[in-house]
């Protein structure tokens, strides 16, 4: 994943950087995500930079040309977090800017989401909430850009942070519910990848749950979710 943090509008350096990055890592590169969560400017998002949408469109197209020229089996994509805007302005704008060339260059669309983190969801409603947000992403968000259902979705980030009032046992339940729900929707929504946000906590002593998203504590001891994840990885 390559963030876009250029404050100006000249994309010459950005496109040169992408080319050099691909060439430098050609022997081991498998996936390249162009920009990060550009639909927002909050924590982790590239949306605060004025040229980011054009950088995505031009970057995806340029990166795909480079990997084709070099004969590399590298998947090129971009991503977003959940979008509640009925007009889907972010994805509509990407489709308008890029047209068929942009859509044809996409090997996947990425989706980052953290259900029950910012807004609590009752345990008995979590699976339905996950189903709704993933279905909305496929049928409303990426469809607004003209991206067909044949382009797979990759769950690039998912997690549930532990901490005060957020028991580790609940993390294990959330991980199991979300992964099983994603697996059940893999066929209907063409989801080909799930990635948990973090193997290890950034800092288990920090009460902020975003520092405790790991399946392991920061001393590498396992939380209950670790064994759940291992079992699901083998059997789901």
């Amino acid at each position: 994943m390559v963030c876009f943090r250029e404050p100006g509008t000249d994309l010459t350096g950005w496109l040169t950087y992408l080319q050099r990055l691909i060439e430098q890592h050609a022997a081991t590169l498998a996936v390249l995500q162009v920009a990060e969560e550009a639909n927002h400017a909050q924590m982790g998002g590239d949306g605060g930079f004025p040229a980011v949408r054009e950088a995505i469109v031009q970057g995806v197209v340029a990166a795909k040309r480079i990997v084709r020229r070099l004969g590399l089996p590298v998947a090129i994509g971009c991503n977003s977090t959940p979008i509640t805007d009925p007009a889907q302005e972010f994805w509509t704008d990407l489709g308008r800017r890029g047209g068929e060339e942009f859509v044809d260059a996409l090997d996947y669309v990425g989706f980052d989401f953290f259900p029950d983190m910012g807004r609590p969801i009752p345990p008995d409603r979590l699976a339905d909430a996950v189903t709704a947000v993933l279905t909305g992403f496929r049928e409303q968000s990426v469809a607004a850009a003209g991206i067909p259902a044949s382009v797979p979705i990759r769950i690039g980030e998912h997690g549930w942070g532990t901490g005060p009032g957020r028991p580790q046992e609940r993390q294990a339940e959330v991980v199991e519910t979300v992964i099983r729900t994603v697996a059940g929707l893999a066929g209907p929504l063409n989801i080909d990848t799930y990635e948990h946000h973090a193997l290890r906590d950034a800092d288990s002593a920090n009460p902020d749950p975003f520092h405790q998203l790991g399946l392991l504590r920061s001393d590498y001891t396992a939380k209950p979710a670790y064994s759940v994840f291992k079992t699901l990885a083998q059997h789901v």
Side-chain angles (χ1 to χ4, degrees), residues 99-140:
E100 291 185 8
E101 187 177 31
F102 168 66
V103 172
D104 290 345
L106 284 171
D107 295 304
Y108 74 93
V109 284
F111 189 58
D112 297 350
F113 76 139
F114 295 81
D116 197 45
M117 282 286 288
R119 180 181 299 176
I121 301 173
D124 62 345
R125 296 179 57 191
L126 181 59
D128 288 343
V130 171
T131 298
V133 75
L134 289 173
T135 302
F137 183 66
R138 167 60 77 192
E139 296 181 354
Q140 299 170 29

Side-chain angles (χ1 to χ4, degrees), residues 74-85:
V74 178
I76 307 297
C78 61
N79 78 334
S80 83
T81 58
I83 298 174
T84 57
D85 166 27

Side-chain angles (χ1 to χ4, degrees), residues 144-174:
I147 299 169
S150 58
V151 177
I153 294 171
R154 290 177 175 241
I155 308 300
E157 293 183 14
H158 164 255
W160 194 91
T162 56
R166 300 180 63 85
Q168 295 177 8
E169 292 75 16
R170 177 59 185 152
Q171 181 192 41
E173 294 171 356
V174 170

Side-chain angles (χ1 to χ4, degrees), residues 1-235:
M1 182 271 291
V2 187
C3 289
F4 180 82
R5 301 296 167 93
E6 166 58 53
T9 58
D10 184 352
L11 298 179
T12 305
W14 165 247
L15 298 176
T16 299
Y17 174 66
L18 288 176
Q19 178 173 337
R20 290 177 178 172
L21 189 70
I22 293 169
E23 292 173 347
Q24 180 182 356
H25 298 282
T28 56
L29 190 62
V31 179
L32 179 67
Q33 178 184 298
V34 179
E36 167 67 351
E37 298 179 1
N39 61 301
H40 70 86
Q42 288 79 45
M43 181 177 61
D46 289 350
F49 296 88
V52 67
R53 296 183 183 184
E54 194 62 28
I56 291 172
V57 169
Q58 291 193 34
V60 165
V61 171
K64 192 62 180 179
R65 287 175 180 166
I66 294 165
V67 300
R68 283 172 173 163
R69 174 172 56 82
L70 297 176
L72 301 176
V74 178
I76 307 297
C78 61
N79 78 334
S80 83
T81 58
I83 298 174
T84 57
D85 166 27
Q88 295 292 330
E89 189 273 335
F90 172 75
W91 285 102
T92 299
D93 189 41
L94 288 186
R96 178 187 61 79
R97 290 172 182 267
E100 291 185 8
E101 187 177 31
F102 168 66
V103 172
D104 290 345
L106 284 171
D107 295 304
Y108 74 93
V109 284
F111 189 58
D112 297 350
F113 76 139
F114 295 81
D116 197 45
M117 282 286 288
R119 180 181 299 176
I121 301 173
D124 62 345
R125 296 179 57 191
L126 181 59
D128 288 343
V130 171
T131 298
V133 75
L134 289 173
T135 302
F137 183 66
R138 167 60 77 192
E139 296 181 354
Q140 299 170 29
S141 295
V142 298
I147 299 169
S150 58
V151 177
I153 294 171
R154 290 177 175 241
I155 308 300
E157 293 183 14
H158 164 255
W160 194 91
T162 56
R166 300 180 63 85
Q168 295 177 8
E169 292 75 16
R170 177 59 185 152
Q171 181 192 41
E173 294 171 356
V174 170
V175 166
E176 179 162 14
T177 297
V178 172
I179 291 178
R180 288 191 182 279
T181 304
V182 169
L185 295 169
L189 299 183
N190 191 13
I191 303 171
D192 71 357
T193 301
Y194 167 91
E195 296 180 358
H196 191 270
H197 178 70
L199 175 63
R200 171 181 173 270
D201 284 350
D203 181 3
S204 300
N206 190 318
D208 186 336
F210 282 97
H211 287 262
Q212 298 192 39
L213 285 162
L215 303 172
L216 307 175
R217 303 174 189 90
S218 49
D219 64 0
Y220 290 98
T221 56
K223 300 179 188 179
Y226 179 67
S227 61
V228 169
F229 184 87
K230 286 180 62 178
T231 299
L232 291 168
Q234 294 170 347
H235 301 291

